[in-house]
Amino acid sequence: QLRLQESGPGLVKPSETLSLTCTVSGGSISSSSYYWGWIRQPPGKGLDWIGSIYYSGNTYYNPSLKSRVTMSVDTSKNQFSLRLSSVTAADTALYFCARQLVNVVVPTVSDYWGQGTLVTVSS
Amino acid sequence: SYVLTQPPSVSVAPGKTARITCGGNNVGGKSVHWYQQKPGQAPVLVIYYDNVRPSGIPERFSGSNSGNTATLTISRVEAGDEADYYCQVWDSSGDHVIFGGGTKLSVL
C-alpha cells in the first residue's frame, strides 16, 4: 500500500523559508507513471495547488507562487521536497503531498495523499 | 487564469440524490476530477477523468462533464457522505492544476 508522509517544522518565522519533505513508501518515486505534488489548505479554506515534480526533476509550479517555490526530488531516499521562501502569515496552511497520475506529459489527478502537516507562520 | 466555480453548499435528505456542479469555460473539453474531504482528513479521490470511480468508491458516486458544467452525482445519500467536495482540472493553457472552491454537502 502506497504511503506518503510529510515532515518538517510546524512553525516558521515571517520572511524565512518553509521547508517540507514528503517520504514515499510502498512504491517508487522513480516511476514514469507519476508526478509528485504539493497542495496546501489554509485554515477553513479550499485546496490550493503549489506545484508538481517528476522523478527526472521536471517541475510545474502555481504561477502565483512560482517566484517563491522550489521543489526537488531525491530518488535515492524516495523523497521529494518543497521550499517556499519569504513566507508571510498568508502561507499558514495544512500542507499535503500527493501522488499524481501522468497524462501524456503532465500531472493530472492526485490519487494518493499524505495526511498533511500544519505549518504556521508566526514570529 | 482558468476558474472553476462550485456552489458553496448543497443540502440533501438521506436517501435522495445530491448533485454538485463545477462550472468552467468549456470544462467539457477538460478532464475533471472530484475529491471528498471530511473534517480533519486528507482529500480522497472519488471520481477521476470525468466519470471513473477508483477502487473502493461506492457505485452511488458518479460523474458527468459536458459543455460548461461538470457534475458529481451522489445517489442514495448517506449521513457518511457529508463532507466538502472539490473539483479539479489541469489547465493546459497555463500549465497548472486548478481546484474549484469546494462545496459543503450537508445531509439533512
Side-chain angles (χ1 to χ4, degrees):
Chain A
Q1 178 74 354
L2 189 77
R3 185 167 179 261
L4 293 90
Q5 180 67 58
E6 306 88 351
S7 59
L11 181 64
V12 181
K13 289 182 168 55
S15 80
E16 295 190 345
T17 296
L18 177 160
S19 295
L20 295 174
T21 295
C22 183
T23 300
V24 179
S25 57
S28 174
I29 202 169
S30 299
S31 169
S32 60
S33 299
Y34 307 110
Y35 267 79
W36 304 91
W38 289 98
I39 300 103
R40 69 181 183 177
Q41 185 172 36
K45 296 188 177 181
L47 301 173
D48 184 30
W49 173 73
I50 300 170
S52 303
I53 188 165
Y54 199 54
Y55 75 95
S56 63
N58 190 51
T59 55
Y60 291 96
Y61 294 145
N62 187 324
S64 68
L65 298 171
K66 191 171 186 176
S67 64
R68 299 194 292 128
V69 172
T70 303
M71 293 179 64
S72 59
V73 61
D74 187 336
T75 56
S76 67
K77 294 182 179 179
N78 231 30
Q79 296 176 333
F80 62 105
S81 298
L82 167 70
R83 288 173 58 85
L84 181 66
S85 64
S86 305
V87 297
T88 69
D91 295 308
T92 293
L94 189 58
Y95 285 76
F96 296 100
C97 60
R99 187 181 81 170
Q100 297 170 311
L101 302 181
V102 171
N103 183 14
V104 187
V105 294
V106 300
T108 56
V109 54
S110 299
D111 63 345
Y112 280 92
W113 297 64
Q115 64 184 18
T117 187
L118 179 63
V119 178
T120 301
V121 178
S122 175
S123 55
Chain B
S1 180
Y2 194 78
V3 176
L4 292 174
T5 301
Q6 297 183 238
S9 62
V10 168
S11 297
V12 63
K16 299 299 186 182
T17 297
R19 294 179 179 84
I20 299 172
T21 59
C22 175
N25 185 29
N26 193 29
V27 72
K30 303 180 184 298
S31 293
V32 178
H33 318 295
W34 291 93
Y35 305 89
Q36 175 194 71
Q37 187 182 31
K38 296 182 179 179
Q41 297 184 18
V44 172
L45 180 66
V46 293
I47 291 289
Y48 64 108
Y49 291 126
D50 297 340
N51 56 20
V52 181
R53 267 181 299 103
S55 175
I57 299 301
E59 291 183 9
R60 301 184 296 104
F61 289 79
S62 62
S64 62
N65 184 18
S66 179
N68 293 321
T69 305
T71 303
L72 173 68
T73 301
I74 309 171
S75 305
R76 301 181 300 283
V77 167
E78 303 174 355
D81 298 330
E82 193 163 273
D84 294 326
Y85 291 84
Y86 296 90
C87 59
Q88 179 245 304
V89 300
W90 171 261
D91 176 28
S92 57
S93 64
D95 274 350
H96 59 278
V97 170
I98 303 288
F99 283 100
T103 298
K104 182 176 182 59
L105 177 67
S106 297
V107 180
L108 302 173

